[in-house]
Amino acid sequence: MMTATSLLLNKVITDFLQTDAEKIDWEYQSSAGKWSNKQIIGHLIDSAHINLLRFVRCTYEENFKLVYEQDAYVAVQQYRHVAIKELLDLWILVNRQIIRVWENYPADRLMARCDNGKTEPNLQTVEWLANDYVEHLLHHLKQIK
């Protein structure tokens, strides 16, 4: 399972990198109060970091809580003031690390769960988190293109 998911994640990264980043208006916001394209990449970096931690911890731990406050992360890290090349490089590197983890993921830990609920427990398996991660990534990349 995780190898198939890692192949899909690798394809998503490769496909996105084939777009001409210089033709994207990275400052563009679809409306007031929404993230700019640059901030969306920042959000995807944060999501990658949080999920990488979930995947790693689930190899040896279960039912721990790791919540992601996405708006606070994007605001604190000031992505709109960072060069897009730096953001894209970081996004690529973190995702390649996720792929490495997935390619060697212990089969007996795919059903390990962690809690990502903000107000109530929301236990999800590694397998679910991996699939959700790729779907989430695709959703936001489509917003940029």
Side-chain angles (χ1 to χ4, degrees):
M1 186 310 286
M2 296 301 271
T3 302
T5 308
S6 64
L7 290 172
L8 178 57
L9 180 55
N10 193 53
K11 181 180 180 344
V12 169
I13 293 167
T14 302
D15 288 352
F16 184 75
L17 293 177
Q18 290 177 357
T19 63
D20 189 352
E22 291 180 12
K23 290 185 179 178
I24 295 172
D25 178 358
W26 291 105
E27 304 304 324
Y28 172 78
Q29 291 176 269
S30 62
S31 63
K34 296 286 186 179
W35 290 332
S36 68
N37 285 334
K38 192 187 284 188
Q39 290 170 307
I40 291 171
I41 291 295
H43 164 66
L44 292 176
I45 291 167
D46 295 338
S47 176
H49 279 123
I50 290 294
N51 280 288
L52 178 59
L53 286 172
R54 288 176 179 152
F55 300 134
V56 169
R57 285 182 65 183
C58 278
T59 64
Y60 63 87
E61 190 176 357
E62 193 160 353
N63 298 326
F64 60 90
K65 187 170 193 73
L66 184 53
V67 176
Y68 169 39
E69 298 292 342
Q70 62 187 21
D71 291 322
Y73 272 56
V74 169
V76 167
Q77 297 195 68
Q78 296 291 303
Y79 290 123
R80 63 189 169 143
H81 302 295
V82 179
I84 191 59
K85 182 181 179 336
E86 281 185 41
L87 295 177
L88 291 173
D89 288 348
L90 182 55
W91 177 74
I92 293 163
L93 291 171
V94 176
N95 277 286
R96 287 195 175 140
Q97 183 61 26
I98 289 172
I99 291 168
R100 274 189 287 283
V101 168
W102 284 353
E103 287 175 340
N104 298 293
Y105 213 82
D108 65 334
R109 299 301 297 167
L110 290 175
M111 301 321 278
R113 301 180 315 163
C114 77
D115 180 1
N116 64 355
K118 290 182 183 179
T119 57
E120 298 178 8
N122 183 24
L123 292 163
Q124 299 295 340
T125 66
V126 169
E127 187 171 44
W128 186 91
L129 289 167
N131 289 323
D132 183 65
Y133 177 73
V134 174
E135 287 177 24
H136 174 257
L137 186 62
L138 286 167
H139 165 75
H140 283 299
L141 291 178
K142 285 178 186 170
Q143 290 177 321
I144 293 172
K145 293 184 179 182

